[in-house]
Amino acid sequence: MTTNTSPAVDWTHLGRSFAESHAELDANDYLGVGDQKVDEPAPAPEPAVVDAEEPEGTEKHRQIWLRPVDNMRRFFPHEATDLTPWLAKRLHMIKKAAWFENPLTLVGTEQKIAGYRIDILAKTLVGDRERFVVIENQLERTDADHLGRLITCAAEVEASHAVWITTEFRDDHLKVMEALQRNHRACSFVPLLIEGAYMSAEGTANFNLVTPPTYSSPDDLLRVKLHEALRKAHEVNNTMNLLHALLASYPDVDFSRYRHIVEEAGLWSYYTDEKVDALLERIPEERRKRAV
């Protein structure tokens, strides 16, 4: 063992000596003002830094898209003649929301299948084979008529995907869609929710299509908590999409006040992604029953 034999520093004595040796020095000696000539004018003060003025109406542009759309029928008065054609021209939105591997190609709208009319009939490539995709859309809460039509038309054309788009899902209908998705191997049943609808500055509706949270289950606390987390994740995604659209639409408006919030949201998203990956490694896609 090595012992440090050097004498300890007397910090009190050292500080006192330093103060006494510099007591007679003028503060101007440090600032370089002592040698300044008396008749020489003092330097002019630097001008104050003033932020550039924002364009008129900036605050309005920052807030106008925050007004939610209360009634989608204000923009789509009729499902068949307004909403269906609008969605048919934007199949890329459905592809992205439903996680299709390949693009969707429109076959037609209001197509007659098995005595019914399906809102949108499309095709997509699944593996090396082209398959039909049936799509039903609603502007109100889901009902049994649309559900029955979706299932019947999907079975008739042997669809690879059956997509149901609406503004609100009933819990029992979500249970049916989840059961069909779990047990029907030949067809994927995909519920999509019209969510995050906001008023744009031009007075048009802007919204996203998202997969809805699974049905609530009061007797399963963990499921309810995960349901709530999924809802919040959707809201964050919609908010980021909204900010992205605002930045693109109003390049002269200052949005720097939100930068640190976006950075923090990204940090939590990064941590969440890591946790999700770890959880998915431990949770199998499907639980296999033990043979008796």
Side-chain angles (χ1 to χ4, degrees):
M1 179 177 179
T2 305
T3 304
N4 185 2
T5 58
S6 58
V9 178
D10 188 344
W11 293 104
T12 303
H13 181 267
L14 182 63
R16 187 180 299 113
S17 300
F18 181 84
E20 290 174 354
S21 62
H22 292 79
E24 297 180 358
L25 293 177
D26 193 288
N28 288 334
D29 292 336
Y30 294 100
L31 301 177
V33 184
D35 297 333
Q36 184 176 338
K37 296 180 180 180
V38 178
D39 56 348
E40 200 173 280
E46 294 185 6
V49 178
V50 180
D51 290 337
E53 292 186 4
E54 292 183 320
E56 185 178 353
T58 288
E59 196 61 35
K60 179 182 178 182
H61 290 322
R62 269 197 290 259
Q63 296 180 2
I64 191 162
W65 278 31
L66 300 180
R67 293 186 298 167
V69 175
D70 297 325
N71 184 9
M72 290 297 293
R73 284 196 180 274
R74 173 180 175 185
F75 303 94
F76 303 105
H78 193 272
E79 287 180 10
T81 59
D82 297 303
L83 178 60
T84 298
W86 192 91
L87 288 171
K89 294 178 181 179
R90 293 163 177 81
L91 293 179
H92 62 278
M93 290 179 60
I94 300 174
K95 172 188 178 296
K96 179 180 178 182
W99 296 84
F100 279 89
E101 293 184 5
N102 296 300
L104 292 168
T105 303
L106 179 65
V107 175
T109 59
E110 299 299 322
Q111 297 289 294
K112 289 185 178 180
I113 300 174
Y116 294 98
R117 285 186 181 272
I118 196 72
D119 289 334
I120 299 174
L121 182 64
K123 285 186 177 181
T124 190
L125 196 63
V126 180
D128 57 354
R129 180 186 171 193
E130 198 172 47
R131 300 281 302 278
F132 282 111
V133 176
V134 294
I135 303 170
E136 275 289 284
N137 54 255
Q138 287 187 259
L139 285 169
E140 283 90 17
R141 197 180 187 206
T142 54
D143 56 44
D145 177 60
H146 283 78
L147 176 58
R149 191 182 313 162
L150 183 72
I151 296 173
T152 303
C153 293
E156 183 69 19
V157 299
E158 297 182 354
S160 63
H161 296 78
V163 182
W164 196 0
I165 301 172
T166 185
T167 55
E168 182 184 359
F169 279 97
R170 281 176 39 172
D171 270 2
D172 54 339
H173 291 160
L174 280 178
K175 290 179 182 180
V176 172
M177 292 291 282
E178 184 172 306
L180 289 169
Q181 173 67 20
R182 185 171 59 248
N183 299 314
H184 201 301
R185 302 301 182 188
C187 181
S188 294
F189 288 82
V190 185
L192 291 180
L193 195 65
I194 297 175
E195 192 176 64
Y198 290 94
M199 186 86 71
S200 72
E202 292 75 23
T204 59
N206 177 277
F207 63 86
N208 294 309
L209 295 178
V210 298
T211 52
T214 54
Y215 56 88
S216 58
S217 181
D219 58 338
D220 188 341
L221 182 59
L222 184 56
R223 187 183 184 98
V224 173
K225 290 293 183 182
L226 290 173
H227 177 101
E228 181 182 355
L230 186 56
R231 169 65 62 181
K232 289 181 178 178
H234 284 164
E235 291 178 356
V236 171
N237 181 63
N238 289 337
T239 301
M240 293 301 177
N241 287 338
L242 177 63
L243 180 57
H244 183 272
L246 286 170
L247 289 172
S249 300
Y250 306 105
D252 296 330
V253 176
D254 180 18
F255 290 97
S256 58
R257 65 177 69 176
Y258 308 127
R259 181 179 177 86
H260 73 283
I261 303 176
V262 174
E263 288 177 341
E264 189 171 348
L267 181 64
W268 283 111
S269 175
Y270 173 77
Y271 287 141
T272 302
D273 287 344
E274 286 189 332
K275 287 185 175 67
V276 168
D277 290 341
L279 287 171
L280 292 178
E281 289 180 0
R282 304 190 64 176
I283 301 176
E285 292 187 12
E286 181 180 355
R287 184 173 180 177
R288 304 296 178 182
K289 292 183 180 180
R290 184 184 305 172
V292 180

